[in-house]
Amino acid sequence: MKVVACYNIKGGVGKTATAVNLAFLAARDGARVLVVDLDPQGAATFYFRVKPKVKGGGKGLVKGKRDLDDLIKATDHDRLDLIPADFSFRNLDLMLDAEKKSKKRLAKLLKPLAGDYDFVFLDCPPSVSLVSEAVFHAADALVVPLIPTTLSLRTYAQLGAFRDEEKLADLQLVPFFSMVDRRKSLHRQVVDRFPDDHAEAATVSIPYSSVVERMGTERAPIGAFAPKSPPAAAYESLWAEIARRLR
Amino acid sequence: MHPYSLEMRQIAAAAEERDRPAVVTPLAAIADAVRGSLRADPEEASARRLRLLDTVDCRLTRLGWRLEAEPGDDGTERWRLVSGSGRVRAAADLPSPAPKLVDDLPDGPLYRSLVPVVGIRALTPGPWITLAEHRATLRDAEGKVRCRLLAQTAVVDGGGDRCSAVRVGRLKGYRADAERVSERISRHYGWSPASPDPLTTLAENLHPGPEGAAYPSVTDPSEPAGPALRPVLQALLDTVEHRAEGVIADIDCEELHDLRVAVRRSRSILTLLRADPPDPALERAGAFFAWLGQVTGPARDLDVHILDWRAHRRRVPEHAADLEPLGRYMKAERDKAYVRLVRILQSKRFRDGVKRWRATLDATNAPWAASERALQPIGKLAGRRIRKLYRRAVEEGSSITDASPDEALHALRKTMKKLRYVFEIVRDAYPRKPVRAILKRLKELQQDLGDVQDTAVQADALRRFGEAMARDGTAGPATLMAVGALAEDLELRRADARTRFATVFAPVAKPRFADRLRRLTRSRTGGG
Ligand SMILES: Nc1ncnc2c1ncn2[C@@H]1O[C@H](COP(=O)(O)OP(=O)(O)OP(=O)(O)O)[C@@H](O)[C@H]1O
Ligand SMILES: [Mg+2]
């Protein structure tokens, strides 16, 4: 079981779109996949049309009191399951803090699922917090959507520093550009230069496209309603690249 | 996500009577029945055409598996091996027509799943089946799928068997929905839950398993030998007839093998019943089976050579290409031998032999069944013969040393075979546990003796084939070398088997074993 976290300190960069679409593609290719919606906003949960309600709330999840299995919901797509978000996930940070060895807690929680799933995708809330620390310790790869601006590059550098501080050498960082508009010269410049000093960068970018926004009205991954669109193709190449690296 | 099934056969039958498609109406009705809180998407219908494959002795179906072959485009067929739980164990796209023998499948999950079950038997396709599927999806107010319904009807072409079922797909986290739907369906329509999927049911109907037990055995040791052995001989003759048909149809090499085993068993029973003066009908049958054993030999030998060649090709893949010409040569020889054999099995001599033996066996108060021997209790008669053959085997085996010629081991093998056959005729009359222990030892010894002889025979044959191929120029030096290597490998195995002989013979020759055998064959039989 490989754990892929879609993560960025910044909000609104395409983390949820990435988690939902990559998970869909992994399951379509035959893998057994679980999406864990760690964001109290519940965007991923919404995309899968699942009601954002976990009996007992985040407290139960973190403490592992209930069998994690009870929280899992099948989505409308074969082999693709979800642990939905709950508003009480807002308290996750606080609770993680109260737990001993809280950093490793999420990794421990996911461990029993290893026989059931080939991939777990974590859709993370935007922030640096204990939740993100726990995510770092649980993940095999951190997939980081970046908007091609100088500011977003700086936050990526912070992320690298944070990983090194935590001594997580095995954690792969996979940055890629999202919402790219190649008509903008700044976008072109940043996208083209970034790989020069970031060998780990994915070679694929996700274009800015209204098809991605339509996920909100269709309430489904792009592959389910517009499989031949340019962003669908871009997500496919991105997943192919990440899957190869995780092998 | 374990599907919950509902028996739909009654519904299907009712629909058939009204001459309407069997499944459409019920599925629409189901969707209606639960429409209260969930709404149904428009029903989707699809149909596929496929065939189910199995061996003639139905090895896959007996295991609860089924093998589907579905024509693909561009001249391929897709094979899927599905286990009892509905899980696809393996699948592969094969060129059409696909090979009959598992051994010719490309290496991969399908080959590896099939080979331990199917072995050397051929896979033959059954009739065409049309599988019609109707799907309905039930969604909640959010548009989220809560439950899926699948109605399947499988129909065998040409107005054959027909089978239907409805499944309620249970989604993780939404079990309650599936249960509610199932419950409503049962209540409304009175269907009983849980039925296998229609293809499994059809597979069971199409491949019911081998006809009767392969080799019947005597169960009452006190019964007179004649009447006790008559049904055994009849069943063996049935086998000879059935297998002859299988050989003629060229199903696979097991047909001839089974035929020959039935011939040898018949012969051993005839020897057991041999009276003084000999009964003419039994003598005639004895001569018939001796002839049949002899004329089927060459074809069987070639089958064995080819089997061994196949096994070797898998073991030494780097020689596979060089060994191809040998395979072609042997295949051609085997085909020639089979043409001759088929002619024999279709000959008047064969048919008359079977007919007369059948008439002899069917006749009431035939003289053979009233001979002094035939009136003895079967347990006593067989027991005495077993002990005699055993004494002979021990005598023959004990005189074998490392310096003995192979012929000494061949003679022992023959005696052992006779012993095994008589033993197996009456084995069900004895307590199970000691029988198993004795048979285990006998089998080990026989296996070893078989290895000694078969490897020698095969190495000889290979040399002959090599020379013949060199003469007609059908094999280049690489092939001749590979053949040489193969023969050498056989020699090594023969030498191995010879070294093992002392170890596998010793336990059989032990007084403890002799004692056990004596006690067993005398128990409840009145002694001998
Ligand atoms: N490639 C794209 N082209 C156009 N719009 C996009 C693209 N990717 C994401 N969006 C839109 O941008 C918004 C933010 O995307 P998303 O929710 O995936 O980001 P996020 O990083 O998960 O946000 P948050 O930090 O709030 O969780 C959404 O409305 C989404 O539809
Ligand atoms: Mg998000």
Side-chain angles (χ1 to χ4, degrees):
Chain A
M1 187 179 78
K2 297 284 184 191
V3 180
V4 179
C6 295
Y7 183 83
N8 193 329
I9 300 161
K10 273 175 63 71
V13 294
K15 296 184 291 291
T16 301
T18 304
V20 167
N21 286 310
L22 296 188
F24 174 85
L25 292 168
R28 190 206 55 186
D29 290 350
R32 298 160 304 163
V33 179
L34 177 69
V35 174
V36 182
D37 192 348
L38 290 173
D39 188 344
Q41 303 292 335
T45 304
F46 176 81
Y47 286 144
F48 287 120
R49 302 174 187 232
V50 174
K51 284 187 197 146
K53 190 175 165 220
V54 174
K55 294 167 243 157
K59 200 161 192 157
L61 175 64
V62 173
K63 291 209 166 152
K65 264 188 201 151
R66 232 187 347 263
D67 188 357
L68 204 55
D69 210 54
D70 281 356
L71 304 177
I72 299 175
K73 297 277 181 192
T75 70
D76 294 2
H77 315 284
D78 286 342
R79 294 177 295 276
L80 181 51
D81 294 346
L82 172 80
I83 294 186
D86 180 75
F87 292 103
S88 55
F89 274 23
R90 280 187 193 149
N91 302 322
L92 209 59
D93 257 0
L94 290 174
M95 284 184 297
L96 279 167
D97 208 13
E99 286 285 325
K100 261 201 272 174
K101 291 197 186 154
S102 56
K103 281 184 197 171
K104 303 243 168 80
R105 191 69 190 145
L106 186 57
K108 255 196 188 160
L109 261 168
L110 293 174
K111 216 171 175 189
L113 298 175
D116 298 341
Y117 295 101
D118 302 308
F119 292 106
V120 174
F121 286 85
L122 305 175
D123 184 23
C124 305
S127 67
V128 190
S129 63
L130 261 165
V131 176
S132 32
E133 262 189 284
V135 164
F136 279 41
H137 282 271
D140 296 288
L142 226 52
V143 172
V144 189
L146 299 171
I147 295 176
T149 61
T150 13
L151 179 67
S152 71
L153 297 191
R154 212 172 307 142
T155 56
Y156 178 68
Q158 288 167 2
L159 201 57
F162 189 58
R163 176 188 64 172
D164 298 341
E165 255 169 54
E166 291 287 312
K167 299 193 176 59
L168 292 164
D170 286 343
L171 177 63
Q172 292 200 43
L173 294 188
V174 187
F176 72 97
F177 288 104
S178 151
M179 305 192 195
V180 175
D181 185 350
R182 295 208 56 103
R183 286 167 308 187
K184 293 183 182 159
S185 66
L186 174 69
H187 276 203
R188 279 202 308 277
Q189 266 177 32
V190 174
V191 169
D192 295 345
R193 276 189 205 148
F194 183 71
D196 293 347
D197 11 81
H198 295 89
E200 74 277 24
T203 54
V204 193
S205 301
I206 308 297
Y208 187 90
S209 163
S210 61
V211 178
V212 183
E213 287 168 323
R214 266 177 58 207
M215 285 172 67
T217 48
E218 299 281 348
R219 296 184 71 179
I222 299 174
F225 66 87
K228 297 213 164 75
S229 61
Y235 276 118
E236 277 194 41
S237 313
L238 180 63
W239 172 237
E241 208 171 326
I242 295 168
R244 205 177 322 120
R245 280 205 219 173
L246 282 171
R247 229 170 264 145
Chain B
M1 259 176 269
H2 307 288
Y4 186 93
S5 309
L6 286 153
E7 180 70 73
M8 264 237 346
R9 276 192 229 170
Q10 310 97 301
I11 298 292
E16 240 169 308
E17 275 165 25
R18 278 175 280 129
D19 207 21
R20 291 225 308 255
V23 161
V24 183
T25 315
L27 195 54
I30 292 164
D32 244 6
V34 291
R35 201 159 278 170
S37 53
L38 304 176
R39 65 184 169 75
D41 283 357
E43 194 171 302
E44 281 172 41
S46 64
R48 10 186 223 122
R49 306 256 302 147
L50 55 98
R51 298 207 278 180
L52 299 174
L53 296 121
D54 206 342
T55 60
V56 281
D57 54 354
C58 309
R59 293 184 180 188
L60 296 175
T61 309
R62 273 190 285 159
L63 230 127
W65 291 4
R66 63 170 197 266
L67 181 59
E68 307 173 3
E70 207 174 319
D73 13 73
D74 58 43
T76 60
E77 41 189 275
R78 180 151 190 80
W79 283 23
R80 296 193 324 150
L81 181 63
V82 184
S83 63
S85 63
R87 189 169 68 88
V88 177
R89 299 180 67 95
D93 289 309
L94 304 170
S96 185
K100 271 172 65 173
L101 296 176
V102 173
D103 206 27
D104 290 331
L105 293 178
D107 200 2
L110 185 66
Y111 167 76
R112 284 193 294 272
S113 308
L114 284 175
V115 86
V117 181
V118 174
I120 56 178
R121 297 240 63 161
L123 290 165
T124 40
W128 283 99
I129 293 169
T130 304
L131 178 69
E133 294 187 327
H134 294 257
R135 289 163 201 281
T137 304
L138 300 175
R139 296 180 189 270
D140 63 15
E142 303 279 299
K144 170 81 184 73
V145 177
R146 290 298 195 89
C147 175
R148 293 183 204 273
L149 296 172
L150 171 66
Q152 294 175 301
T153 301
V155 187
V156 175
D157 265 20
D161 212 354
R162 162 193 283 265
C163 211
S164 304
V166 172
R167 299 157 165 270
V168 180
R170 208 182 332 198
L171 295 180
K172 202 173 169 89
Y174 300 100
R175 269 169 80 135
D177 290 299
E179 255 142 44
R180 193 162 51 93
V181 169
S182 300
E183 194 265 325
R184 283 228 200 156
I185 292 170
S186 328
R187 212 175 48 214
H188 268 73
Y189 300 94
W191 300 334
S192 53
S195 70
D197 81 73
L199 278 180
T200 301
T201 311
L202 278 194
E204 280 161 8
N205 297 349
L206 288 170
H207 307 281
E211 59 291 328
Y215 301 113
S217 155
V218 168
T219 48
D220 178 6
S222 63
E223 205 183 344
L229 292 174
R230 184 204 299 270
V232 180
L233 286 165
Q234 279 169 331
L236 288 168
L237 185 59
D238 288 345
T239 305
V240 168
E241 268 197 299
H242 282 142
R243 296 296 159 245
E245 280 166 28
V247 172
I248 292 167
D250 200 1
I251 290 173
D252 58 36
C253 65
E254 285 295 274
E255 298 294 310
L256 179 57
H257 176 66
D258 289 355
L259 185 152
R260 284 171 56 80
V261 171
V263 165
R264 286 198 297 264
R265 282 175 192 256
S266 301
R267 288 183 74 186
S268 84
I269 294 179
L270 287 170
T271 312
L272 198 62
L273 287 172
R274 184 172 231 161
D276 191 25
D279 177 86
L282 294 195
E283 292 302 299
R284 200 170 48 226
F288 170 67
F289 284 121
W291 167 74
L292 200 51
Q294 199 203 329
V295 292
T296 51
R300 174 62 191 166
D301 286 347
L302 281 157
D303 276 341
V304 173
H305 296 327
I306 291 173
L307 282 176
D308 205 71
W309 170 82
R310 286 174 171 283
H312 187 79
R313 193 179 52 165
R314 287 259 175 210
R315 270 201 306 275
V316 208
E318 64 273 20
H319 279 174
D322 294 336
L323 283 170
E324 277 315 310
L326 173 65
R328 278 198 298 275
Y329 179 85
M330 290 196 299
K331 179 80 170 57
E333 290 294 304
R334 178 240 176 233
D335 288 349
K336 278 190 244 165
Y338 262 74
V339 168
R340 281 192 290 272
L341 177 60
V342 166
R343 221 176 283 141
I344 289 167
L345 295 178
Q346 288 171 331
S347 69
K348 191 163 155 36
R349 184 169 178 186
F350 175 75
R351 284 199 313 261
D352 284 354
V354 170
K355 213 186 287 168
R356 291 179 83 165
W357 181 225
R358 167 117 27 233
T360 305
L361 288 174
D362 289 350
T364 46
N365 58 47
W368 72 268
S371 76
E372 183 264 330
R373 284 260 180 131
L375 292 175
Q376 284 184 29
I378 175 65
K380 190 169 160 186
L381 188 64
R384 207 185 304 137
R385 175 106 180 123
I386 288 170
R387 291 192 299 278
K388 187 174 156 196
L389 286 166
Y390 173 73
R391 277 195 302 275
R392 192 199 294 174
V394 171
E395 209 170 286
E396 286 171 349
S398 306
S399 67
I400 291 174
T401 64
D402 287 348
S404 307
D406 278 0
E407 283 68 32
L409 285 94
H410 301 175
L412 174 59
R413 186 190 188 192
K414 273 193 175 169
T415 309
M416 290 296 302
K417 268 192 179 172
K418 287 179 190 164
L419 173 60
R420 267 283 296 281
Y421 288 141
V422 183
F423 197 79
E424 273 176 12
I425 292 167
V426 286
R427 59 175 292 178
D428 290 352
Y430 300 141
R432 200 167 288 206
K433 229 172 120 183
V435 164
R436 222 183 292 145
I438 287 173
L439 272 179
K440 182 169 171 272
R441 291 297 186 198
L442 294 183
K443 271 186 190 156
E444 277 166 7
L445 175 55
Q446 254 190 308
Q447 175 74 46
D448 186 63
L449 292 167
D451 285 350
V452 172
Q453 185 170 18
D454 295 344
T455 47
V457 169
Q458 276 173 34
D460 262 6
L462 280 180
R463 272 183 219 106
R464 269 188 290 117
F465 296 154
E467 281 161 24
M469 285 193 295
R471 266 200 310 279
D472 1 309
T474 40
T479 296
L480 294 177
M481 270 167 66
V483 172
L486 180 48
E488 227 164 82
D489 185 49
L490 287 165
E491 285 293 352
L492 284 177
R493 275 162 53 197
R494 191 195 66 87
D496 252 14
R498 277 228 43 171
T499 345
R500 259 198 324 271
F501 170 75
T503 335
V504 286
F505 177 69
V508 173
K510 270 197 184 143
R512 219 171 78 93
F513 188 93
D515 205 45
R516 207 179 215 179
L517 194 69
R518 200 175 310 121
R519 268 207 314 270
L520 185 72
T521 57
R522 279 196 173 138
S523 64
R524 301 192 293 149
T525 65

